[in-house]
Amino acid sequence: MAAELDLVLRGGTLVLPWGEAVGDVAVRGGRIVGLGTVDGHAAEEIDCRGLHVLPGLIDSHVHLREPGDASVETIETGTRAAVLGGLVAVFDMPNTNPSITDVARLDWKRDHLKGRAWCDMGLYVGATKANIAGLAELEAQPNVCAIKVFAGSSTGDLLVEDDESLERVMRAGRRRICYHSEDEYRLQARKPAYSSGMPHRMHAEWRDVECAFLGTRRLMALARKTGRPAHILHVSTAEELDYLRDHRDLATVEVLLNHLTQTDEAYDRLGGYAVMNPPIRDARHLEAAWRAVADGTVDTVGSDHAPHSRAAKERPWPDCGAGLTGVQTLVPLMLDHVSAGRLSLSRLADLMCAGPARVYGVVGKGRMAAGYDADFTVVDMKRVRTIEESWIASPCGWTPFAGHRCTGWPVMTIIRGTVAMREDEVQGTPGGAPVRFGR
Ligand code: DOR
């Protein structure tokens, strides 16, 4: 008898948008065609009893560095890491070398990912003071998740720091803009107070709470003036979270796994491997970030996966590269937070699936429902496993979370009906496709 279905996932606990239920999922042609009790005959059946079937989780904030330094990361290695870590899609930042700031470079990247990416990819485009006139056209290109504005300087050469230019960016186009929000003037004014070789914890003093809070107040004042929706990336302070609660008509909020997991003790333990922008801060901010997860202020959680070479990380502060790897460890660590009772699996799916879909306008993905892409992250909440550096697929080869014991682990990544990872092995060939977005 010919199979009428391509795949059935049998008997897992489905984490559906409307709650958890034990049941089956039927897949045909890369899409979900049935949920609940599935009777049909399938070419492939996967026993999911005892496992949770989550909608395919998305990391909406990664830096895969291509074009750039292949000894640190590429699209192939970064997406391999993503599927090993249970992700079905990543949204890739534009601060590469060169940066993705025009249609030709965007077209290059979209072509280049085909046959190389193991998971699906959304593509950011970068704003510069020179490309403002072309931003409306650029954000309307296929597979663009958003314009990214670095309003404070970080890795790479993207920077739009002054109010006049920021307002012009906001008046060019109409989709939600993503911001790196640290006030560049305050960053530069404070820099001379610090010198090479000072302790790494000075990073959080230099790029202090007011740097981030002032950056966000300035951006939201301009967003209010222009009416342009904003997604404030990696919100790292209690002050910003309180403030943004009063701006939810315009603002959506990203918090990073790092800011939910690490505090400033990490500087003494990890040195340069704790340095990122905006910085890891004290426990007051971590607690505020969890309260913001609990009360719905946070829309998305991402990794801000930002690989640098070991040599770059081991330079004295502040010359060490800023940014931490995380695409492969995001799901295991979030599952560990679920196991510790900090959030539910439903809220995790909301933050890493429905949230990205809502904020970026994903089409046909990001929801476990009939007709949507058959994307699943299958997890074993009983699995206890320690994160080891030998597991890391990124060529830079390190993780700030080595030695962290996780309860809960992704055991299968299924993308548009095809198993991309099963029990730590990537399957087949890189089949990732560009993600579609509404405009
Ligand atoms: O720590 C960071 N690293 N923050 C950023 O904004 C950029 C990133 C990178 O690309 O290295």
Side-chain angles (χ1 to χ4, degrees):
M1 184 172 79
E4 60 210 67
L5 297 169
D6 299 329
L7 173 68
V8 174
L9 306 181
R10 290 272 178 217
T13 301
L14 312 180
V15 181
L16 296 161
W18 47 87
E20 290 189 11
V22 174
D24 309 328
V25 186
V27 176
R28 189 172 50 227
R31 300 234 178 106
I32 297 169
V33 292
L35 289 172
T37 303
V38 174
D39 296 323
H41 178 62
E44 186 180 3
E45 301 238 349
I46 298 179
D47 182 0
C48 292
R49 284 174 299 173
L51 303 174
H52 285 84
V53 181
L54 295 163
L57 300 179
I58 297 169
D59 185 349
S60 48
H61 193 157
V62 303
H63 300 261
L64 298 189
R65 304 293 194 222
E66 202 168 344
D69 181 355
S71 71
V72 167
E73 191 73 290
T74 62
I75 284 173
E76 195 278 325
T77 56
T79 54
R80 177 189 288 264
V83 299
L84 284 169
L87 297 167
V88 302
V90 294
F91 298 172
D92 189 29
M93 285 292 173
N95 60 329
T96 45
N97 187 11
S99 295
I100 306 299
T101 51
D102 61 31
V103 173
R105 288 183 188 159
L106 174 71
D107 288 347
W108 175 86
K109 194 170 192 175
R110 186 189 306 106
D111 282 350
H112 188 73
L113 74 87
K114 292 173 189 156
R116 290 183 173 87
W118 288 91
C119 67
D120 290 353
M121 287 181 70
L123 306 175
Y124 286 91
V125 290
T128 70
K129 282 174 222 164
N131 76 355
I132 295 175
L135 283 176
E137 185 197 355
L138 198 49
E139 73 163 7
Q141 297 299 302
N143 317 116
V144 170
C145 57
I147 293 169
K148 167 73 179 280
V149 176
F150 282 87
S153 52
S154 193
T155 303
D157 59 7
L158 294 178
L159 182 65
V160 183
E161 76 279 35
D162 63 284
D163 282 10
E164 194 199 323
S165 303
L166 285 166
E167 183 173 339
R168 284 176 56 222
V169 168
M170 291 184 201
R171 293 195 188 282
R174 44 163 294 277
R175 294 177 64 194
R176 188 176 297 277
I177 297 178
C178 291
Y179 296 98
H180 180 115
S181 170
E182 289 182 285
D183 185 82
E184 181 66 12
Y185 301 105
R186 185 170 171 90
L187 282 184
Q188 295 309 332
R190 292 166 66 78
K191 208 170 182 182
Y194 302 95
S195 56
S196 186
M198 282 181 157
H200 291 92
R201 59 172 53 246
M202 290 294 122
H203 198 63
E205 195 183 294
W206 168 38
R207 303 178 86 112
D208 67 352
V209 168
E210 182 58 12
C211 268
F213 189 23
L214 177 58
T216 293
R217 294 197 310 272
R218 278 183 52 214
L219 285 169
M220 287 315 303
L222 292 168
R224 179 80 40 218
K225 185 174 176 193
T226 59
R228 186 78 183 261
H231 187 45
I232 308 295
L233 297 167
H234 40 49
V235 176
S236 62
T237 67
E239 284 76 357
E240 287 170 282
L241 289 164
D242 281 344
Y243 174 83
L244 286 166
R245 285 190 183 98
D246 291 331
H247 295 273
R248 294 290 280 163
D249 55 332
L250 277 176
T252 52
V253 172
E254 178 196 67
V255 165
L256 299 183
L257 176 277
N258 306 72
H259 294 124
L260 291 167
T261 310
Q262 297 171 294
T263 59
D264 50 0
E265 65 74 35
Y267 292 111
D268 299 332
R269 195 163 44 83
L270 297 170
Y273 295 99
V275 171
M276 62 181 292
N277 302 330
I280 291 166
R281 307 190 192 276
D282 64 41
R284 180 173 75 85
H285 300 287
L286 179 141
E287 284 155 19
W290 278 113
R291 277 198 302 280
V293 168
D295 74 8
T297 304
V298 181
D299 292 282
T300 65
V301 166
S303 71
D304 197 356
H305 175 73
H308 292 264
S309 69
R310 283 185 190 274
K313 292 306 271 181
E314 287 168 15
R315 285 198 291 265
W317 184 82
D319 313 313
C320 53
L324 302 176
T325 62
V327 70
Q328 198 170 336
T329 47
L330 174 61
V331 175
L333 287 160
M334 286 306 290
L335 295 176
D336 194 46
H337 286 308
V338 170
S339 297
R342 294 186 189 104
L343 76 169
S344 64
L345 282 175
S346 289
R347 180 65 169 128
L348 177 60
D350 184 52
L351 290 165
M352 293 187 61
C353 200
R358 185 174 69 241
V359 167
Y360 295 86
V362 176
V363 171
K365 271 178 130 53
R367 184 170 168 85
M368 199 190 298
Y372 280 76
D373 282 1
D375 292 343
F376 310 100
T377 302
V378 183
V379 307
D380 182 350
M381 293 308 290
K382 295 177 297 303
R383 186 84 55 101
V384 178
R385 182 167 163 180
T386 300
I387 293 172
E388 290 167 12
E389 258 169 14
S390 59
W391 178 61
I392 296 300
S394 299
C396 67
W398 55 269
T399 164
F401 298 108
H404 190 111
R405 215 165 90 108
C406 296
T407 301
W409 200 267
V411 294
M412 221 181 301
T413 308
I414 299 171
I415 305 175
R416 288 173 283 101
T418 300
V419 178
M421 181 280 285
R422 192 164 189 175
E423 291 291 352
D424 247 7
E425 304 279 346
V426 294
Q427 309 281 308
T429 53
V435 175
R436 292 177 298 146
F437 297 89
R439 300 190 197 124

